[in-house]
Amino acid sequence: SLSKVSRETVRSLPEPMTINVFFSKDLPSPYITTEKYLRDLLKEYSIYSNQNFNYKFHTVDPSSGKNVQKARSHGINPVQVQVIQEDELKYKNAYMGLSIIHGDAVEKIPAIESKKRLEYKLTSSMQNLKNKVSALLNLKDKVRIRLYLSRELQDIGSELGLEGIGGLPSQLKQVVSDLNSENYQKLDFQHVESGKMQTAKNKYQLQELRWPDIPEKNIQSGSGAIGIVLKHGDKSKTISPVNVKRVPLVGTQYNLMDKMQLRKDINSQLKTLLGINENLGYLTNAGTLNISPRRGSRQQRGQGASAFNQLVQDSYNLSKIDLQQGIPEGLNTLVIAGPQEEFTDYELFQIDQALMRGTNLAVFLDSYKQKSSPSPNQMRRQRRPRYTTLSTGLEKLLAKYGVDIEDSIVMDENCYEQDLSRSTGSNRGGKQPVYFAPLIKNKNINHQPRFMKNLTRLVSLKNAPVQTKNSSIQENSLRAEKLFSSSQKSWTKRSSNLQFNPAFMNPPRDPSKQHSRPLAYYVSGEFPSYFQGKSIPEQEKNATAKSGDQSSGKEGEIQSKIKAPDSIIPRSKQAKLFVIGSSQMLSDQVIDPKGNSPNSIFVMNVLDALNNRADMAELRAKTQEFSPLPELSPATRTSVKLFNILGLPILVFIFGLVVWLSRNRRKKAIQRKFSRG
């Protein structure tokens, strides 16, 4: 049945909304099942909707051309599916998508290949459309879309592999014209001449391409810039329409975005620019996980958070927050993920006062960090990295709020197991337990919070134990909820004695050292300020250099004028704090950018809860496919097996015997009755 948030969404539509569904004729299984499920789902939406909801199915038959052009006009193109015909695996193109029209705005789900999370996709798309229509109708000025394209790049673009770059202005003009029909004619396109290129390149960070001398084509070395800028008021977003790939042995290749990709990116950036999705802040100071992968960064070692960036785009407008420029007032939630450097008192003051103003915090904090890279001589003496306790300053803020992160890492016998093969150095193959990746089972997950209701499993990674300080919690009447914990077979390793090679790790010999450890907490209420009764810290003059950003002179002047508030807010408004002892829970090793894995659902549910969207969190987790059976002791399992093997046949025999005796008794009663006559 439909979730509450889905029913409320269709019940409160302010304008007509039409869903056009396009499915190919005679689809094979399991796609035909998906179509039937979608029909039932839309029928249920219509039951709870007001008069503004309508839907229609269109059968597409490419052989006859039926509804093909109509599907494409709605932005639905065929996708390739597998079909088994005459005992052969074949591929065919099929239409399986829908478009949602609300007023002049359009939202598409171009490929519906399974029932998984379909209700969530539909409801979130409907909500996005409602927000988009409201935002567009309230615009006083048009959104300006400007194409900046250097004349030099336009002249030699084809020599660099950018075929069609000369026709990009007319192509983009057509794309914007098509988008205008879906956005209440609120878009204005213009191709900016090269005379303004230098100013725009610095202001909007346009994509710059450089090329060497090419004598055989009479081309001299040079450079050019290109970019599509969306601007409204003082806000702007930049799209780089050239994809750059560095292919080994081949070199650098350049590809121009096609029309479909341009349309998709402009639509996505338009939502962000107009604030259609809710704002979500991501702290970029103190070496936090990088959400924008760059060559040579932590991202290259699998430690970045670009997958997390992709994951939140459909639901939130993710804004980078630099403490040198301040945390904006009105920000609902700030994510702090894996800082590796120590915060200054001024930076801690900003974080503290943001919480006091009602900005919720999601803190993914490590308890350890790797020591500086050893010299070659040291490398020969030691074969594994060394770790030390990480101290960022956030620990003392969290302690004031009633939460402590221990200086250790949780290991667990109930953990993820990796497959071994000869390529990994194993002669026997099999499974290798990864003790620092605990498998969180259903019984160790707290299902009381709504956003945790349907989660049945998680995988933790390099997680420190998280404890609450009962004195602080009780003194400030805070509500602390443990979200999940490790199993009873877990133990801890101190930061000074860490190693992450599974082959050299074993459980402790003393069983008394093994017990369950809490790994994440969700705290809500009115928090006390860490700086209450203290003087307001001053901003360091060289703080901008510490942030790692190169600021222009004008920006430096502005930053030098930043002052701390005149007074300290001693106690927060109603606010929420999420704390977990691992930044790895947001890393690309764990997060699935499509949002299908349990860990991705958990992270999004936490963010939804912090942003007062618990209904959407509950809907997202509703489609969990993993429903584990209750864990039983070996004795109980043996008893159940014996019952199934022996007990059931005995019960059938007894039942048959009772029936036979009953019939026999009835037969004799009838015989006695008629023998008397």
Side-chain angles (χ1 to χ4, degrees), residues 86 106 142 180 250 264 310 316 334 388 393 520 523 597 623 643:
E86 299 176 354
V106 178
K142 289 188 175 183
N180 246 330
V250 176
K264 180 181 178 181
Q310 297 177 50
Y316 294 98
L334 176 65
T388 184
V523 187
S597 70
T623 55
F643 175 77

Side-chain angles (χ1 to χ4, degrees), residues 346-538:
Y346 176 76
E347 292 171 336
L348 292 174
F349 177 73
Q350 289 190 77
I351 296 172
D352 175 88
Q353 291 298 287
L355 180 65
M356 297 305 109
R357 293 194 301 268
T359 296
N360 305 314
L361 299 180
V363 181
F364 298 77
L365 188 61
D366 297 315
S367 64
Y368 70 95
K369 68 175 180 179
Q370 186 174 339
K371 289 185 177 180
S372 57
S373 301
S375 66
N377 290 333
Q378 291 173 323
M379 285 291 290
R380 284 192 290 269
R381 291 196 301 267
Q382 62 183 45
R383 297 182 178 181
R384 61 184 177 89
R386 298 290 182 180
Y387 300 94
T388 184
T389 301
L390 176 63
S391 178
T392 65
L394 278 176
E395 297 83 7
K396 55 188 179 184
L397 262 63
L398 295 177
K400 182 67 175 180
Y401 307 149
V403 182
D404 275 330
I405 295 180
E406 293 185 11
D407 175 24
S408 59
I409 295 296
V410 173
M411 309 289 175
D412 201 330
E413 288 190 50
N414 292 315
C415 62
Y416 171 79
E417 294 182 332
Q418 65 181 8
D419 293 321
L420 293 179
S421 62
R422 294 184 182 275
S423 62
T424 60
S426 172
N427 294 323
R428 296 177 299 174
K431 298 282 188 178
Q432 172 70 62
V434 183
Y435 295 123
F436 54 82
L439 182 63
I440 312 300
K441 298 184 178 180
N442 192 35
K443 66 178 182 179
N444 293 321
I445 297 176
N446 178 12
H447 299 101
Q448 291 302 314
R450 289 179 61 192
F451 63 92
M452 299 290 292
K453 185 176 179 181
N454 294 309
L455 290 169
T456 54
R457 66 172 175 177
L458 293 168
V459 176
S460 179
L461 184 61
K462 299 179 181 179
N463 209 322
V466 180
Q467 302 285 353
T468 55
K469 299 178 67 175
N470 292 331
S471 57
S472 298
I473 296 294
Q474 294 173 3
E475 180 183 344
N476 296 286
S477 300
L478 298 171
R479 181 182 180 187
E481 298 175 278
K482 179 174 63 178
L483 298 185
F484 61 87
S485 56
S486 60
S487 77
Q488 295 293 341
K489 291 287 188 178
S490 65
W491 70 99
T492 59
K493 282 280 189 182
R494 301 281 294 181
S495 300
S496 58
N497 194 31
L498 275 179
Q499 67 168 338
F500 294 116
N501 187 339
F504 297 100
M505 302 174 70
N506 291 294
R509 295 179 180 178
D510 184 1
S512 64
K513 294 182 179 180
Q514 292 181 297
H515 60 84
S516 179
R517 269 88 174 177
L519 300 177
Y521 266 95
Y522 186 82
V523 187
S524 57
E526 297 180 359
F527 294 88
S529 171
Y530 173 79
F531 290 90
Q532 184 178 3
K534 298 181 175 68
S535 59
I536 299 174
E538 294 183 1

Side-chain angles (χ1 to χ4, degrees), residues 571-583:
R571 195 170 187 82
S572 76
K573 303 175 181 178
Q574 280 290 329
K576 289 168 279 191
L577 170 67
F578 166 76
V579 180
I580 188 170
S582 171
S583 68

Side-chain angles (χ1 to χ4, degrees), residues 50-95:
N50 59 19
Q51 70 278 7
N52 288 324
F53 181 80
N54 182 44
Y55 70 93
K56 186 174 182 180
F57 274 78
H58 305 273
T59 300
V60 183
D61 186 358
S63 60
S64 64
K66 180 181 178 182
N67 289 325
V68 171
Q69 190 58 40
K70 191 169 188 176
R72 291 178 177 175
S73 68
H74 283 259
I76 308 301
N77 294 298
V79 295
Q80 199 172 67
V81 298
Q82 294 182 354
V83 182
I84 298 178
Q85 289 181 346
E86 299 176 354
D87 296 328
E88 290 185 8
L89 179 63
K90 299 181 180 179
Y91 295 89
K92 65 178 291 187
N93 290 329
Y95 290 84

Side-chain angles (χ1 to χ4, degrees), residues 1-11 41 44-45 48 119-120 123 454 615-616 618-620 622-623:
S1 61
L2 284 184
S3 299
K4 180 181 178 181
V5 63
S6 299
R7 298 196 297 265
E8 290 178 350
T9 298
V10 292
R11 190 181 292 135
L41 188 61
E44 200 162 356
Y45 272 107
Y48 293 101
E119 183 188 347
Y120 173 79
T123 299
N454 294 309
D615 286 338
M616 291 303 295
E618 191 174 354
L619 173 57
R620 182 186 292 105
K622 178 181 177 182
T623 55

Side-chain angles (χ1 to χ4, degrees), residues 142-149 172 176 187-192 196-197 199-207 226-241 262 265-266 269-270 273:
K142 289 188 175 183
V143 176
R144 289 172 287 170
I145 301 179
R146 302 291 182 256
L147 170 63
Y148 292 90
L149 177 59
L172 188 58
V176 175
L187 308 180
D188 175 63
F189 173 75
Q190 185 178 339
H191 177 202
V192 180
K196 302 178 182 179
M197 184 61 64
T199 303
K201 184 172 70 174
N202 296 330
K203 184 176 182 180
Y204 300 118
Q205 298 181 340
L206 301 180
Q207 186 177 23
I226 184 173
I228 302 169
V229 177
L230 284 72
K231 185 174 176 60
H232 184 261
D234 58 353
K235 298 179 181 179
S236 64
K237 294 290 179 182
T238 302
I239 299 172
S240 300
L262 285 171
D265 282 15
I266 291 174
Q269 294 295 344
L270 182 63
L273 185 70

